[in-house]
Structure formats: structure tokens, C-alpha cells
Amino acid sequence: MPNSPQTPGIVAQRLSSDQVVQNFATYQPAYAAHEARVAADRCYFCHDAPCMTACPTAIDIPLFIRQIATGTPDAAAKTIFAQNIMGGMCARVCPTETLCEEVCVREVAEGKPVEIGRLQRYATDSLMAKGVHPFTRAADTGKRVAVVGAGPAGLACAHRLALHGHAVTVYDRRPKAGGLNEYGIAAYKSTDDFAAREVEWLLKIGGITLETGKELGRDITLAGLEAAFDAVFLGIGLGGVNTLGLAGEDLAGVANAVDFIATLRQTADKSALEIGRDVVVIGGGMTAVDAAVQAKLLGAQTVTMVYRRGKEKMSASVYEQEHATAGGVTIVYGAAPVRVLGAAKVEGVEFAYESGETFTLKADQVFKAIGQTLADAPMARDGKKLVTHAGKVWAGGDCAAGGEDLTVTAVAQGRDAAEDIHAVLTGTVR
Amino acid sequence: MANLASNFIGIKSPNPFWLASAPPTDKAYNVERAYEAGWGGVVWKTLGSEGPPVVNVSGPRYGAIWGADRRLLGLNNIELITDRPLQVNLDEIKAVKRKWRDRALVISLMVPCDEESWKDILHRIEDTEADGVELNFGCPHGMAERGMGSAVGQVPEYIEMVTRWVKKHSRMPCIVKLTPNINDIRKPAEAAHAGGADAVSLINTINSITSVNLDSFAPEPMIDGKGTHGGYCGPAVKPIALNMVAEIARNPATRNLPISGIGGVTTWRDAAEFLALGAGNVQVCTAAMTYGFKIVSEMISGLSDYLDDKGMGLSDLVGRATPNVTDWQFLNLNYVTKAVINQDDCIKCGRCFAACEDTSHQAIAMSADRTFTVKDEDCVACNLCVNVCPVQDCITMVEVPKGGVDQRTGRKVGDYANWTMHPNNPSVAAAE
């Protein structure tokens, strides 16, 4: 271990390889069987349960928890997967504290909800560990659908279409399928190559052809797909990132948080990754939190997240904020960046409070996490996003209008688009 | 701290908590440790006749059912009476009793149903200076197949006959332990009373199969692929035991017959309930087998605090609730209550709604914002909502005062009137 957290500059191996492995492995342990039974027993099996309403994919949560409580986690998993084929990943990354668990009556009553997310993970892990795919594809319909983007929206859409017997080709510009599950989720939330294993498991439905390394606008075109397929689904995510538009932004040591996160996910030995001693993250969303937390896990000495508005406006949940601060990240609220300082490389960032007062944070590495954008618009827009349906083309996930930019929302939109496409292709609706 | 000293049919103990005849009381080592832990008395595990010792299975003897967090709720067993040589037990009983004079030590007995057998065992135990005998007419497994235990307890004539033999051949106080595996618990109690018993104890265990192994397709506990019914005990049986104690306590024929209450006593509160229904003391087994002898400390402190709070002595509690146990026909049909949901306490789970809407009287309304309210015009006051609500005291039954109007029937609440006075009762009509 040649370096330490105190070593100046952007360097690798600030911590031992073993320490880094441990740092990324200890986020939220899986339930043991007895723990799951006890946790499941806390569920009141509410009538018209609020948790179910709060879930974007409308999983029958009281039912699956009762199935766990009665010792049938595989049945619980089927209940989950019937609504959300990526229930395994959602169990890991959903901000449950602002969805199902926020409205759990026991959260309201006691401040301690039923741990729905962890229970969902217990159930889905149980079935997936057996390598069993719980659904059987319907007879081939002869219809062909193109899905662009192998992220949560595209894969959820592809799976539901395949289930109904349509032949699906999924295109993705990256070398691996999974989208943000593979490249965007914090590494400590998707351990043991879970995203890739989930894709492999999902594809067992059959009828789905995966074409990676194919980018819309470069290798394929929307017009070409519309001509060749009966329907097209766009789940292309948000390919662009917002820029600060400030002096010094191009200095060495300034990077996009999404790239840092993607690199982290694709690196086996994370201790080999370079990280700054004094890291500044600009932004207040989940991407900012993930970048800040993981910078700390790699051994950065100081990590400061700076958000221009107040704590209550932050899109990262209170739970995530507390997770960050508990991990050693400092969060500064109500300060906007003024300029990035440095000569050959970044040396600091100057910020201004709303009062106009300025201060400078020392930095040898800066991550920008101030939002992603739809890079190109292959079809009509609804505000800054794509319309969800026009002619033979549907859209869902982060690129499309409606809902929050969450994995679970993307799954819901992909699934619902598939049902819509299925209805149109089979002539149920026109 | 309330004085818990107990005098049950002349047998004195520092508190009314005895360990029941069972595995915890089968040897000096256990009994002495129980006394050290604070138990007021023990009923030594059932002795049989002189001869080759009883043989137990060497596979599992217990089966169980569990609640949340694997809390043991019910236990069943197929263990037989003591399998130690008679003389070993007798020597230990004598030594223990000499050492622990202030504690109760009663010997449980089960021998074949002939006078000689009973006479013989009674003479053999006389020398131990034990405080009394308990006749095991209760165990429903194993020994019953050999004409003992519940095979006797299910025939009131046998109970009376054997009790007479015991009273004839022994001066010791005699407690008759009853089996609940019978239609009317009053009959065996009356038989014991007629035979001269000083007290009855109940309930012994209930015939049961606790679970079925769904891979081997055999009952648990499973012995080499087979299972047999065992005796059920523990918290799950308490309601059955309470009713049987009350039936005997309020039966005019056995009203003054002392009762030792047994059946799922786990906490001081359980014990207090048995005492209030007429038990003079209680016997405990499953709770000790689940948590160890130490649990008696909680029973002692809890009962003592309760009596202090109420300003009552132990004897004031015994039978305090018995007069309030009655027959259905004497319940006041003009007593009207309505469920009231405290909106501040309600956590909006909707269980009251599901229960009432799906299975009862459709008397709870649910609004779009999940506010649950009782429809007085439909509420029959069944109490199901109270019982399924996860929040204690969130839903309560509020009495409609006399003169008030029951919104369901439109009638004014009148004076006390029961079924024996009701115009719909054919017996009333016939008497006119």
C-alpha cells in the first residue's frame, strides 16, 4: 500500500485492497432466514395497503411478506416478479424510505417501518439463487419488437413482450446490458456482479436477442427500426450531463460523477482506482451521494458534497444523506459554485452562499453531479423528455416523460409500454 | 410487598407457585435448584408401582407450535411417568423434604387400577414425609393405553373408587389431577369430591398432534417414521384450562372443593387469572421448561405488586371473579355498546375495516384518505375490530347509557333483561 488517505493529489491505493473490498461489501447485509421471518411478522397485512399504492410497480407487498412469513419465499418472489421483473435490483436500490416504507403504517405509528426492501431482497435472492426463471413464454405471435436501451425500462419491456410471445431485439450502445443497473448504481449496492446476473436470469424467458455495441443514430436509426419491426420501444436513458458553465471547469481533476461511478462499477480491483485526497462533489441528487460515498470508500481524506439549495430540497433522501454523513462525507447546503480554481490542475472550488458571501474548498478532485439530460431527441418531446407513445414508437424510463427517474419507475414504464404494445399488436386496442 | 404465603389444603408454601409433576420435578437435583430459584412447591414427577422401570422412547419426546420470533406457544409430549427406580425417587424425596421444610413437596402417583397397587404405593411413600399426594388421572398418552392416567380420569366411577382407596389407606392430603379430555369437567370433579379428595388439580395435558411433517407425512414428534398423539400444554391451552377451573368453581356440587390451577401459566398475570377464577394455587411446567426456573421471580414480583396495587391479600383474590362467570342465558341483552375508533391512535392499517366488511356486519366506513369510522346503525358490538386492531386501546367499546337509543335497532336501552325473560324465547312463551 504505497499511499494513504493523506497522500496529496489523485492517486490509487490509498487503502489496502482488502480494506476496499470490505468497504464495498458491508452496506446492507442480506437477511438470514430467521431474521426474515421475524421481520415479515411485523407486517400487519393492511387492507388496501398504502405500501402497495406507493410502489411504482404496485407489487402486492402484504401478500409477498405473508408468503415469507409462512416459509415460502419462492412464492413471495413470484408475487414480486409478476409486477416487477427487476425486483431483485429494486430491492437493492429503491429509495424505499420515500416509497413503500415511508407510508408503511408502522413507519407512521412507530418510526420503524416493516423493512420491505430487505424482505424483497430475501425473497428474490431465494428464487434467483436456484437459477429458476418463474415464467413461461407464450406461443410465438410472429410479431417483432425492437427495444433500444438495455436498461431497466428496456429490459422490463423486453421481458413482458417476450412473455406474451413476441420476438424482441434489444439494442444497447454499451458493451454490456443493464444500463444504469450495470453502469450507474453505486457499487456497494450491487455487489457480486448482481446486475449482470439479473440480466442473464431475466433473459431466460427466451425470445429476446441482445445486440450490444449498437448505438441509436450511429449503428441503427429510428426510421430503420420502424421499418423493420412491428413496434419500437425507446429506453435510452439520459445520455448527456449538465455542465457548470464556470471558469476552470475544464481543468484536470474535474470529472463527471456518472463517469466516475461507471468506472467504479467496471473495475474489479477498486483499490487500483485513483482518487483525490480532498474531493468536492457538486450536486444534491443520488448521483452526487453515490460519488461522494464511494470516494470516501476508496480512501479520500476529505469528501465534501456541496448543494446549492437547502437540505429539504435535496433530491437525495434524508436516509441517503445520513448514510453519506455517517460514512464521513460532509454536506454543505445552500452554496453554489462560482469558479473552479487552479493552474494546470484543479486546486479548489470557490462557492457563494445565497447571502453572497464566498468561501473556497481545497480540492484535488471535483465531481460534477448536477443532473443528466436527454442528449438527442429521436422523437417528439414532452418538455425535456420524450413523449411516451407516438405511432409505432413507445418510450419509457429516464428518457421519457412522467414519474421520477428511478429504476423502479423505469421498470413500471417499460412493463406498461409492453402491455400497451401487446394490446396494439394483438388488436385488442388500436 | 404483599405476603404470598400460601396454605393449600393444609400444605404450606412461601408462595402459590408450584412446579407441576413433569420432567422439571423428576429428581432431587432439579427440585433443589427450583427451590433455590424461589418456587413455593413441587409435585414430584409421577411415581409408578415397584417393578421394572418404565421405558421411554429414545427419539424426540416433544413437539411444539410457535408464534412470531419462534416464541413457543404450545408444547406436546409423549414422555411417560418417571423411568427411574422407585426407591431412588423415594430416597431423594425424603432427603429433599428434610432439607427444605418450608417448601411444599407433593408426590404424584399412577399405579394400576386395583386397591392393592394403591395400598402398596401409599405405604411405600409414607416414610418420605411428603406433604401430600396427587393422583395422576390425567396423562393422555402411553400410560392410558395400559389402563392408567386419563383412562381412569375419563370414567368418573373409577375416579371416585380410587380416591376412596387412597383416602382409606393414607392420611396424606389427596389432590386428584383431572384430564381435560372429557366432555364435562364437572363430572370427574364431582366424582373426586365424592371419593373424599381434598382438592382437584387441572388441567392435565390435552390430546394433540402439534404438527405433521409434510416431507415424511407423519406427525411430530416423529419416532422412526411414526408419531402418536401427545399431551398438549403451554400458553395455548390456558383459555381451556381457565374455563374448566371456572366450571368446577361455580358448580354448586363442588363449590368448596379446592382447586390447583394448571394450564399455560407463564406470567404472574396468568396465575392471577387462575386464582381469580377460584384456584387456590397454580402449578407451572411449560414456562419453566421454556425459560428455566428463574421465571418464578417475575411471577412473585408481578403478583405481589398487583395485590399491593389492589390492596388485597392472596386469599382475597382467590375466587374473586367466580361469581361473575355465568351462563349465556343470564347475560344482559339490554347492555348495548358501540365500537369507537380513536382517530389519534389509529395508524390506518385498515384491518378493522377488512374484518368488519368481509366477515362481520359491514359497520366500518373507509374514506378515501383512509379514515375509518364506525357506523353505529350497523355496529352490533361484536368486538372483532377491537381484537384485530394492532394498536391496543385504539378501538374501544363504549356503552350506550340506559335511556339512550341504539342506532341499530332504534330502541331505547332498557333495564337488565336476559334470555329467560325475552319474548323470543319459546320457554318464556310456554310458561305463559
Side-chain angles (χ1 to χ4, degrees):
Chain A
M1 196 173 74
N3 295 312
S4 79
Q6 289 82 29
T7 309
I10 303 176
V11 298
Q13 291 177 303
R14 290 184 180 274
L15 300 174
S16 72
S17 179
D18 287 349
Q19 183 65 55
V20 171
V21 167
Q22 195 187 325
N23 284 354
F24 278 84
T26 54
Y27 175 52
Q28 198 172 49
Y31 276 138
H34 179 72
E35 281 181 295
R37 294 281 278 270
V38 173
D41 193 73
R42 293 189 71 238
C43 174
Y44 285 149
F45 204 72
C46 293
H47 172 76
D48 191 15
C51 54
M52 205 173 149
T53 309
C55 175
T57 53
I59 292 169
D60 192 339
I61 294 165
L63 177 60
F64 95 66
I65 292 180
R66 190 167 177 79
Q67 288 166 322
I68 292 173
T70 58
T72 54
D74 291 353
K78 286 176 198 168
T79 300
I80 295 161
F81 290 135
Q83 288 295 112
N84 180 339
I85 197 62
M86 307 200 98
M89 181 58 88
C90 287
R92 289 163 166 77
V93 304
C94 259
T96 52
E97 65 279 2
T98 62
L99 296 170
C100 51
E101 292 179 19
E102 181 179 46
V103 298
C104 172
V105 298
R106 300 201 73 159
E107 165 64 23
V108 177
E110 307 160 33
K112 193 172 182 300
V114 175
E115 292 191 309
I116 299 167
R118 289 183 77 187
L119 284 164
Q120 179 165 320
R121 178 173 169 194
Y122 173 76
T124 52
D125 280 1
S126 163
L127 186 69
M128 290 174 74
K130 295 177 179 161
V132 174
H133 190 89
F135 303 107
T136 307
R137 192 178 173 223
D140 197 295
T141 60
K143 302 288 185 185
R144 300 176 65 245
V145 183
V147 169
V148 186
L155 288 174
C157 182
H159 183 273
R160 186 56 66 101
L161 287 166
L163 182 73
H164 287 315
H166 307 299
V168 186
T169 305
V170 180
Y171 300 95
D172 198 282
R173 66 188 173 95
R174 307 240 207 190
K176 286 200 238 174
L180 287 182
N181 287 359
E182 178 59 43
Y183 295 94
I185 299 298
Y188 59 86
K189 291 182 182 173
S190 176
T191 51
D192 302 324
D193 210 17
F194 181 79
R197 287 192 287 120
E198 185 178 51
V199 171
E200 188 187 346
W201 170 86
L202 179 149
L203 292 176
K204 286 183 182 171
I205 186 69
I208 301 173
T209 307
L210 195 56
E211 300 252 7
T212 52
K214 296 280 174 64
E215 185 167 353
L216 189 66
R218 187 188 69 193
D219 310 297
I220 48 175
T221 64
L222 184 56
L225 294 175
E226 285 188 74
F229 290 89
D230 296 300
V232 180
F233 175 79
L234 300 178
I236 54 175
L238 299 172
V241 288
N242 289 322
T243 56
L244 295 169
L246 298 176
E249 191 172 351
D250 297 330
L251 285 170
V254 180
N256 288 314
V258 290
D259 296 332
F260 169 59
I261 291 166
T263 303
L264 258 163
R265 282 296 301 278
Q266 301 305 314
T267 305
D269 177 10
K270 293 180 180 31
S271 68
L273 283 173
E274 294 185 334
I275 191 72
R277 177 177 70 180
D278 301 300
V279 176
V280 170
V281 180
I282 301 171
M286 278 306 305
T287 304
V289 169
D290 285 350
V293 167
Q294 295 187 104
K296 197 69 192 162
L297 296 181
L298 289 175
Q301 173 78 345
T302 72
V303 177
T304 311
M305 221 178 113
V306 186
Y307 177 54
R308 64 194 171 96
R309 289 191 279 194
K311 183 182 173 86
E312 66 288 346
K313 295 266 189 182
M314 208 166 192
S315 63
S317 67
V318 171
Y319 172 87
E320 289 290 345
Q321 292 177 46
E322 286 173 356
H323 174 65
T325 53
V329 173
T330 302
I331 304 180
V332 176
Y333 301 97
V338 177
R339 59 191 163 135
V340 182
L341 307 168
K345 57 183 179 25
V346 62
E347 291 166 18
V349 185
E350 184 181 325
F351 292 93
Y353 289 122
E354 281 176 23
S355 63
E357 185 189 341
T358 62
F359 62 96
T360 298
L361 289 178
K362 191 171 69 165
D364 40 33
Q365 192 166 29
V366 174
F367 291 122
K368 299 179 288 181
I370 54 170
Q372 285 133 264
T373 61
L374 192 59
D376 302 304
M379 64 186 280
R381 289 199 188 207
D382 175 357
K384 291 180 175 176
K385 302 265 186 114
L386 301 182
V387 297
T388 53
H389 180 207
K392 286 174 75 174
V393 184
W394 280 258
D398 290 357
C399 69
E404 289 182 85
D405 289 352
L406 296 172
T407 304
V408 66
T409 309
V411 172
Q413 292 174 346
R415 175 200 70 190
D416 294 346
E419 289 295 348
D420 202 22
I421 292 166
H422 173 64
V424 169
L425 295 187
T426 55
T428 316
V429 296
R430 286 180 189 285
Chain B
M1 187 166 163
N3 179 10
L4 296 183
S6 162
N7 182 340
F8 184 74
I9 58 171
I11 303 172
K12 291 180 177 157
S13 58
N15 61 57
F17 304 111
W18 292 7
L19 281 174
S21 168
T25 63
D26 86 328
K27 60 171 88 69
Y29 177 81
N30 289 2
V31 170
E32 290 210 64
R33 290 185 65 246
Y35 285 157
E36 282 162 16
W39 289 91
V42 306
V43 182
W44 200 279
K45 183 168 167 84
T46 307
L47 308 184
S49 298
E50 174 64 15
V54 156
V55 177
N56 269 299
V57 295
S58 294
R61 298 175 191 185
Y62 303 112
I65 63 163
W66 298 271
D69 208 356
R70 207 174 156 82
R71 182 170 293 270
L72 191 139
L73 297 181
L75 188 70
N76 106 340
N77 84 89
I78 56 169
E79 181 171 297
L80 304 182
I81 62 174
T82 185
D83 53 12
R84 308 167 80 223
L86 178 62
Q87 196 56 48
V88 171
N89 277 311
L90 295 176
D91 292 346
E92 288 188 5
I93 290 168
K94 185 171 182 175
V96 169
K97 183 61 205 180
R98 286 193 168 177
K99 195 170 162 188
W100 298 84
R101 291 278 177 200
D102 70 323
R103 307 301 171 96
L105 201 170
V106 171
I107 302 175
S108 173
L109 298 174
M110 182 196 287
V111 296
C113 216
D114 60 77
E115 188 167 357
E116 268 316 297
S117 296
W118 283 96
K119 184 179 170 186
D120 181 68
I121 190 71
L122 288 163
H123 286 164
R124 284 172 188 271
I125 66 169
E126 212 156 60
D127 185 40
T128 62
E129 297 178 49
D131 297 302
V133 293
E134 184 180 76
L135 315 187
N136 182 342
F137 296 157
C139 284
H141 51 276
M143 303 308 285
E145 297 171 15
R146 305 174 200 177
M148 291 180 269
S150 65
V152 177
Q154 287 168 337
V155 183
E157 292 78 6
Y158 293 172
I159 293 174
E160 182 176 343
M161 176 178 73
V162 176
T163 307
R164 271 190 209 289
W165 292 338
V166 171
K167 291 308 290 184
K168 178 174 155 192
H169 295 292
S170 169
R171 288 164 299 170
M172 297 172 105
C174 169
I175 305 167
V176 173
K177 187 165 182 178
L178 303 180
T179 175
N181 300 302
I182 190 163
N183 288 331
D184 183 350
I185 196 67
R186 292 174 302 180
K187 299 300 182 232
E190 288 169 11
H193 193 38
D198 297 285
V200 290
S201 56
L202 72 158
I203 58 173
N204 203 307
T205 55
I206 303 172
N207 267 329
S208 61
I209 290 174
T210 43
S211 62
V212 177
N213 186 313
L214 291 177
D215 297 312
S216 308
F217 303 101
E220 301 276 12
M222 186 168 55
I223 307 289
D224 192 23
K226 304 281 184 193
T228 187
H229 66 86
Y232 196 42
C233 54
V237 311
K238 189 185 100 175
I240 296 164
L242 286 177
N243 175 56
M244 290 186 166
V245 166
E247 286 296 289
I248 294 169
R250 73 190 188 94
N251 177 8
T254 52
R255 184 165 284 155
N256 296 314
L257 182 64
I259 300 168
S260 184
I262 313 171
V265 174
T266 310
T267 68
W268 73 268
R269 184 177 289 275
D270 300 327
E273 290 174 15
F274 273 95
L275 297 172
L277 283 177
N281 74 359
V282 293
Q283 295 184 34
V284 177
C285 174
T286 310
M289 292 184 75
T290 310
Y291 303 107
F293 291 142
K294 188 180 169 183
I295 50 148
V296 75
S297 303
E298 175 278 327
M299 295 183 184
I300 291 168
S301 66
L303 183 61
S304 178
D305 287 356
Y306 169 76
L307 292 174
D308 284 344
D309 285 350
K310 292 285 183 190
M312 291 161 65
L314 184 62
S315 59
D316 300 327
L317 176 58
V318 174
R320 184 84 179 252
T322 313
N324 292 326
V325 183
T326 186
D327 294 341
W328 192 96
Q329 62 181 333
F330 300 124
L331 297 176
N332 183 4
L333 296 175
N334 283 339
Y335 176 74
V336 179
T337 66
K338 296 290 175 187
V340 175
I341 300 170
N342 181 332
Q343 298 298 336
D344 292 334
D345 291 343
C346 176
I347 61 171
K348 302 184 186 299
C349 69
R351 280 186 12 181
C352 59
F353 175 82
C356 192
E357 187 71 12
D358 290 1
T359 71
S360 291
H361 298 84
Q362 296 74 48
I364 293 178
M366 175 182 174
S367 72
D369 71 344
R370 300 183 71 82
T371 300
F372 299 91
T373 45
V374 175
K375 296 184 264 184
D376 281 356
E377 64 275 23
D378 292 317
C379 177
V380 304
C382 72
N383 211 42
L384 181 63
C385 56
V386 173
N387 293 328
V388 302
C389 177
V391 181
Q392 194 173 347
D393 298 330
C394 172
I395 309 179
T396 49
M397 283 292 165
V398 177
E399 184 178 353
V400 180
K402 202 170 87 176
V405 174
D406 180 348
Q407 297 298 324
R408 182 173 66 90
T409 60
R411 286 199 292 272
K412 275 191 176 176
V413 177
D415 292 326
Y416 171 89
N418 64 43
W419 176 241
T420 66
M421 314 159 167
H422 200 278
N424 289 14
N425 183 344
S427 307
V428 174
E432 281 170 358

